[in-house]
Amino acid sequence: MTSSHAFWLAGRQVTGEDTFDVTSPWDGGLVGKVALPTDAQIEEAVAAAYAVREDFAATPAHVRAAALDHVSRRLVERTEEIARLISAENGKPVKWARGEVGRAVSVFRFAAEEARRFNGGEAQRLDTDAGGQGRLALTRRFPKGVVLGIAPFNFPLNLCAHKIAPAIAAGAPIILKPAPATPLSGLVIGELLAETDLPAGSWSILPVPNDRMPALVQDERLPVISFTGSEKVGYAIMDSVPRKHCTLELGGNGAAVVLGDYASDADLDWAATRIATFSNYQGGQSCISVQRVIADASVYDRLLPRIVSAVQAQVTGDPADDATDVGPLVSEDAAKRVEAWVREAVEAGAQLLTGGKRDGASYAPTVLTDVPADTTISCEEVFGPVLTVRKADGEGDAFAAVNDSKYGLQAGVFTHDLQAAFRAHRALEVGGVVIGDVPSYRADQMPYGGVKQSGVGREGVKFAMDDYTYERVLVLTGL
Ligand code: NAD
């Protein structure tokens, strides 16, 4: 699957003077060569987006919605080919890659629907005060300006979709920058957008190298930054532009709580299967993968062996094979980091129940118990196929354990108790609580994002549109 890929500058396909290689994390083979934009080309894209911003905001909703619907339909038609591309550049098992394409199909469809109804309009009477007598306020939402969208490697298509689709729906031009390890899937979106009538300049997809990003981040013509990626890079960006609007979708160390009422064989089988699947889903490289299991002491001894055998049942291997559940990590360095963190935990006294082996970029699905609280794996985001399991002494202890983290993205709580569900919703310091399932559940229209070090702001199509726009009030006098 070797080919040369151009990038997208103001809606047209452009080759740069230099290229960089995209290689397979599975076998190191060349997946594609991608053109690098020059400084002059980056400037051209920014200038075009800035110049078109007022026209784009005024583009009729039906035009923007039709373009978004078109991309959604074309993604359906090209699902298999794009899934194979995601799998090749990212190492994600192809069956999960098909799911990612399906999610991007929905993101573009949701964005088309929101484009048709998005308005933000509200009429507010002002005559509740004597000074407002004879006046009326009307509000509408307008784009804040050009969006700079920065995407990570782990969902190379869908997280690009989450930047670009809401921007188009809101009438905000966007410069999208995909991750350097996985730019090809994001560039495919350009092929589909190029088939539409969106104004030139309203979108560019530029694989800008990291060392040239600070200039783009600082550019005053790009007042909105929507970043998904690591805590380190995200906060460095926000700190460097304190006067810009930044949305940060960062990391997590997702917890799944199993409460004492979740105790039948069927309950524990379901919980164990979901936990095993979503701690290893794309090698644990999801910001909401299950990293921590916190099980009530009354169910712990029956749950743990089920989790271990479900983890051992995960099929590892070639991501292109339909049977594979767990492929390689994004790079050998990533696998070596996971290996070092597990070694550190074991040396500190953790019990290794299964896994703990590395082969190149692949790391075996791993379960640890008795992990000391001060180890790296207890405190940081592992971003690999490693699960830690601990006992809790009742609901309060379990919820406190979830909150004992610098992160707060999502949490899962396995319970049938409706009141416990509401207590979890109130107690857990996270952006989302999932009852009856793992923290890894995400529907692309729902508000999504974190608290604490997991980020600032929310995505989910409508919520990203809120983020890209602001309310401007119109006061009518003499009524
Ligand atoms: P990363 O922070 O290394 O890179 C993210 C993006 O930032 C890439 O496009 C990268 O090229 C770019 N970048 C790097 N240096 C930059 C700079 N100086 N200025 C501007 N941009 C720069 O993250 P990653 O390894 O690609 O992704 C993994 C991380 O993303 C994990 O922490 C994961 O939890 C997080 N993530 C969060 C969510 C969420 O929605 N909360 C979703 C997926 C991934």
Side-chain angles (χ1 to χ4, degrees), residues 150-155 159 177-180 210 213-214 217 227-231 233 237 249-252 286-287 381 383 409 442 448 454:
I150 305 174
F153 75 83
N154 62 335
F155 288 88
L159 292 179
K177 192 206 88 69
N210 291 346
M213 283 304 290
V217 165
F227 173 87
T228 303
S230 65
E231 184 191 342
V233 175
I237 289 174
E249 299 283 347
L250 309 176
S286 160
C287 46
E381 172 185 48
F383 228 52
L409 198 47
R442 177 179 183 187
Y448 180 77
S454 289

Side-chain angles (χ1 to χ4, degrees), residues 394-407:
E395 183 187 297
D397 184 35
F399 292 171
V402 173
N403 289 342
D404 184 18
S405 167
K406 65 175 174 172
Y407 297 114

Side-chain angles (χ1 to χ4, degrees), residues 115-156:
R116 291 187 180 99
R117 65 177 156 244
F118 188 73
N119 185 3
E122 184 182 310
Q124 190 183 25
R125 58 190 312 158
L126 299 177
D127 61 357
T128 50
D129 245 3
Q133 225 166 294
R135 295 181 200 264
L136 179 71
L138 298 176
T139 61
R140 287 177 67 194
R141 297 194 75 89
F142 292 92
K144 289 173 182 158
V146 184
V147 176
L148 173 59
I150 305 174
F153 75 83
N154 62 335
F155 288 88

Side-chain angles (χ1 to χ4, degrees), residues 2-25:
T2 305
S3 52
S4 242
H5 299 258
F7 56 81
W8 295 92
L9 193 170
R12 61 176 212 282
Q13 209 166 16
V14 173
T15 48
E17 286 164 13
D18 296 319
T19 62
F20 65 101
D21 291 348
V22 178
T23 55
S24 155

Side-chain angles (χ1 to χ4, degrees), residues 139-440:
T139 61
R140 287 177 67 194
R141 297 194 75 89
F142 292 92
K144 289 173 182 158
V146 184
V147 176
L148 173 59
I150 305 174
F153 75 83
N154 62 335
F155 288 88
L157 178 73
N158 197 37
L159 292 179
C160 284
H162 266 288
K163 306 290 177 211
I164 204 164
I168 292 169
I174 179 165
I175 308 285
L176 174 67
K177 192 206 88 69
T182 57
L184 302 178
S185 315
L187 289 169
V188 167
I189 295 175
E191 293 174 26
L192 312 182
L193 283 173
E195 297 166 356
T196 72
D197 295 331
L198 291 177
S202 62
W203 60 275
S204 289
I205 307 176
L206 304 177
V208 179
N210 291 346
D211 62 358
R212 281 158 60 206
M213 283 304 290
L216 208 48
V217 165
Q218 292 293 334
D219 195 307
E220 291 191 353
R221 293 167 293 179
L222 311 174
V224 179
I225 298 182
S226 176
F227 173 87
T228 303
S230 65
E231 184 191 342
K232 185 170 163 232
V233 175
Y235 284 114
I237 289 174
M238 194 165 81
D239 290 347
S240 75
V241 284
R243 292 175 189 216
K244 288 199 182 196
H245 177 94
C246 291
T247 300
L248 303 181
E249 299 283 347
L250 309 176
N253 57 1
V257 171
V258 184
L259 292 180
D261 71 293
Y262 216 78
S264 72
D265 286 340
D267 286 343
L268 295 177
D269 286 344
W270 162 256
T273 306
R274 298 295 287 174
I275 287 166
T277 303
F278 286 96
S279 63
N280 291 295
Y281 169 57
Q282 44 188 67
Q285 298 167 119
S286 160
C287 46
I288 40 175
S289 66
V290 188
Q291 181 171 334
R292 302 179 292 151
V293 174
I294 300 155
D296 190 82
S298 63
V299 294
Y300 182 90
D301 290 341
R302 291 168 56 224
L303 178 67
L304 184 59
R306 285 174 158 90
I307 290 177
V308 172
S309 61
V311 166
Q312 288 169 340
Q314 293 283 304
V315 178
T316 58
D318 185 344
D321 186 338
D322 266 312
T324 299
D325 296 312
V326 187
L329 299 193
V330 69
S331 66
E332 187 163 346
D333 281 350
K336 283 182 174 163
R337 179 188 53 73
V338 174
E339 181 180 43
W341 289 14
V342 171
R343 191 184 314 121
E344 181 209 332
V346 170
E347 283 170 5
Q351 303 295 311
L352 176 68
L353 302 190
T354 190
K357 292 191 187 68
R358 184 181 67 81
D359 177 10
S362 296
Y363 196 78
T366 297
V367 180
L368 297 167
T369 58
D370 304 311
V371 184
D374 59 351
T375 51
T376 310
I377 219 156
S378 289
C379 305
E380 301 292 330
E381 172 185 48
V382 65
F383 228 52
V386 182
L387 194 58
T388 67
V389 190
R390 63 153 277 188
K391 223 178 256 187
D393 185 11
E395 183 187 297
D397 184 35
F399 292 171
V402 173
N403 289 342
D404 184 18
S405 167
K406 65 175 174 172
Y407 297 114
L409 198 47
Q410 294 210 137
V413 181
F414 289 91
T415 182
H416 299 294
D417 179 344
L418 188 59
Q419 292 187 336
F422 277 96
R423 285 194 297 273
H425 192 209
R426 196 164 49 225
L428 298 179
E429 297 162 352
V430 290
V433 176
V434 182
I435 302 298
D437 209 341
V438 285
S440 327

